[in-house]
Structures are given as C-alpha cells and as structure tokens.
Amino acid sequence: MDWGNILELSLRELIGVQAIVFALAAIGINVQFGYTGLLNFGQAAFAAVGGYGIAVIVTTYDMSFWLGLVVGIVGAIVLALLLGIPTLRLRADYLAIVTIAASEIVRLVGRSAWGRDVFGGSDGITGFSNAFYDLNPFTEPFEFGPFQFRERVLWVLVVGWVLVAVCTLVVWLLMRSPWGRVLKGIREDEDAVRSLGKNVYAYKMQSLVLGGVIGALAGMVYSLFQGAMQPDVYATNFTFFAYAILILGGAATVFGPVLGAAIVWFAFQFIDLALRGAIQQEYIPSWLMDANDTGAVRFMLTGIVLVLLLVFRPQGILGDRREIALDAR
C-alpha cells in the first residue's frame, strides 16, 4: 500500500468542504446544545432551508443570488420561531421530538411530487451556483506542497473557512458576554436564572435562532459546492453526524466543533483508503471483507471510537469536565 498517497488524500479532508459543512452545523448545535442545553435534533432542516433558499430563488423564480442568501437566512429564522414558540416553554424532550420530526417534514416536502415545480422533487434543483462562481477571483489551480486545488474548489474552501472563522469568532465573543453567561446559566439551572428576573424563554429562542442560522450557512455552502440541492442529503443522519463531531471535539468549547469536523473526515478518508489498500493487497481475506464493505466498516470503527470517548473522556477532546460532560457510565 502507498501510505504516502493515503496520508496525502486523507490530509486534504482536514480542510475539505465536508469538514467545513459539518463544522458549521456543529457550531450551530454547540450554541443550542453545548451552551444552552437545547436538544435540537433537526439541524438538517435548517441546512436544507438554507440550501433551498438559494436554489428556489435563483432557479425556480429566476431572481438574484443575493436575494437567495437573504431568503435562506430568513427561512432559518422563521423555522426556528415555528419550532421554538410551542416547545421552548416545555421540557427539553419536546423540542427534541418536534425538531427531528420537522427535519423529516422539510426533507419530504422537498422531494414530494406535488412540490416538484418549486423544489425539484427527489431529483433536486441545479443551475443556481453560477452567480457564486462568477465571483471567483481565482483563475488557475493553486498548489501547496503535495496538494493541488482547482479554482472552483479553492473558492468554496476560502469562502467556507472564512464563514467558519467568522462564526467561531462570533460565538467566542457572545459566550464571553453577559448574554452568553445567561445561556450557560440556563443550561445549568433555568429556574435559578428565571428567579433572577431573566426571560428564559426569550434567551432560549435567541439561541435556537442563532444556531439555526449557522446551520443554514452549512446548507448553503454544501449546495453551492455540489451545484445541486438534493433533499435526501439532509436526512436525520446529517444532524447525528454533527452531534458526533461536537461530542468528539468537545461541547461548550469554541474550537471543539472545528477540530471534531477535521478529525472525523480525516479518519473517514484514512480508514476507507487503508481498508481498500489492505483488501487490494490481500492483507484482508476476501471471505472476511471486500471493497463494498469498507463504507460500513469505517462507520463501525468510528462509532467504536466515539463510544470509548464517551466512556473515558465524556467532555470531548477540548472539553472541560467542569464545564459540561456527556456521561455514558
């Protein structure tokens, strides 16, 4: 096996588009769950709304790309309000149930036959990313050591990581402010915060909206990179990937979601390529596993690592046990 090539391809995933998308999704969940204690299991719905905002406005209604960005963000805000108004006064599990249902509703509406003229049905929508790539200042591929990036990919990477940096900075500043300290207080004991005269309901709503908007940015980046808005990409496993990344990096930490996203996608690529190389060189017998099994096996191995992490370091890589920990014991 060519370990150098395997390592090179895997290192590309550290800064790849998948890492960007799930870092943004996990940052949004970090605001909601890590800092506020809100169980949002519908981050995929916010990402889908962001992607559809651009795709529908540009392709279906032949309007401005910039208007599509605004519609995607406003759509995420409206979705957060619709989910939060009836549930945030109740126990946390009600929000979890409603958001996971909303995630599936958004996906099924997007792929429905009756909405095909607007949302494209199960085939999705294409042809809306040209305006984004027309802004691309890069005219030739970029080489850095062994890595080479095409112009379009480089443009997505630059925009994506700038968004990650801005969102990370915003979260860092907010959590150091009095507003952020109220969120942490709500996570620990919302009755105590309420007794101090704070409007817990309003703070929860603000957290849900902020995290949802960041999730919508993840959907926008991914749909623009793919050049297509396909609803089945935003199934519930999208949200669970984001949670796994957050848990790995450390909930209630500023850089935890970014680190977790980079490590997860590096591990996925490295395990997949290593297994395929071992099968090709017959280090792994064909009766035990073939190339078609590598996708499932890499998820199994990653899952085992996450379980061990929950047992032996429940606060994640960067997390502080005094701040927050997910206890699996």
Side-chain angles (χ1 to χ4, degrees):
M1 290 190 296
D2 187 354
W3 288 105
N5 185 52
I6 290 175
L7 185 60
E8 177 184 333
L9 293 174
S10 301
L11 286 173
R12 285 175 62 95
E13 293 300 312
L14 282 173
I15 59 171
V17 176
Q18 295 277 12
I20 293 170
V21 171
F22 283 93
L24 287 170
I27 290 171
I29 292 177
N30 195 29
V31 173
Q32 298 162 343
F33 171 70
Y35 289 108
T36 319
L38 300 178
L39 280 174
N40 170 26
F41 286 149
Q43 191 72 332
F46 290 100
V49 167
Y52 272 120
I54 296 177
V56 170
I57 291 297
V58 174
T59 300
T60 305
Y61 295 108
D62 194 24
M63 299 174 74
S64 167
F65 167 77
W66 300 105
L67 179 61
L69 291 177
V70 174
V71 169
I73 293 173
V74 171
I77 295 172
V78 171
L79 178 61
L81 293 174
L82 290 174
L83 297 178
I85 288 173
T87 61
L88 290 181
R89 295 187 187 276
L90 306 174
R91 297 200 314 267
D93 50 348
Y94 287 98
L95 177 64
I97 294 169
V98 169
T99 50
I100 197 171
S103 176
E104 279 299 282
I105 290 171
V106 170
R107 184 181 71 86
L108 293 174
V109 168
R111 74 191 316 275
S112 63
W114 58 265
R116 179 180 294 274
D117 292 339
V118 177
F119 302 110
S122 59
D123 295 331
I125 305 176
T126 58
F128 56 85
S129 60
N130 293 333
F132 171 73
Y133 288 111
D134 287 343
L135 301 172
N136 187 0
F138 303 106
T139 57
E140 57 185 24
F142 175 76
E143 293 187 13
F144 179 73
F147 306 112
Q148 184 179 41
F149 300 98
R150 292 180 289 109
E151 303 93 311
R152 289 168 67 95
V153 175
L154 181 61
W155 177 228
V156 177
L157 290 178
V158 170
V159 172
W161 282 113
V162 167
L163 285 175
V164 170
V166 169
C167 291
T168 301
L169 177 62
V170 168
V171 171
W172 180 72
L173 292 174
L174 287 175
M175 296 311 154
R176 289 168 57 89
S177 70
W179 184 83
R181 289 192 286 272
V182 172
L183 291 190
K184 295 178 184 179
I186 292 172
R187 181 193 68 205
E188 299 300 331
D189 189 344
E190 66 176 74
D191 291 330
V193 174
R194 189 177 290 111
S195 69
L196 296 175
K198 300 296 184 181
N199 189 336
V200 171
Y201 176 75
Y203 278 94
K204 284 183 175 181
M205 184 66 73
Q206 293 163 19
S207 174
L208 185 63
V209 168
L210 177 59
V213 168
I214 297 174
L217 294 177
M220 292 177 183
V221 171
Y222 195 65
S223 62
L224 289 171
F225 171 70
Q226 295 289 341
M229 180 60 209
Q230 213 285 330
D232 289 333
V233 171
Y234 303 95
T236 52
N237 60 344
F238 181 96
T239 301
F240 297 140
F241 272 132
Y243 265 99
I245 285 166
L246 178 61
I247 292 168
L248 175 64
T253 62
V254 174
F255 296 105
V258 181
L259 178 63
I263 290 176
V264 164
W265 289 106
F266 170 84
F268 277 170
Q269 183 77 341
F270 184 82
I271 293 171
D272 184 77
L273 294 175
L275 288 174
R276 291 181 186 277
I279 292 170
Q280 186 176 11
Q281 297 295 324
E282 298 184 351
Y283 296 141
I284 299 177
S286 58
W287 58 265
L288 179 62
M289 186 175 67
D290 59 31
N292 295 325
D293 299 324
T294 56
V297 171
R298 70 174 183 172
F299 284 118
M300 292 169 55
L301 295 176
T302 305
I304 292 171
V305 171
L306 286 173
V307 170
L308 293 175
L309 181 70
L310 282 173
V311 172
F312 295 106
R313 190 172 174 81
Q315 69 269 36
I317 295 174
L318 298 180
D320 186 345
R321 186 181 289 271
R322 295 169 298 178
E323 178 81 15
I324 186 171
L326 300 176
D327 196 349
R329 296 176 189 268

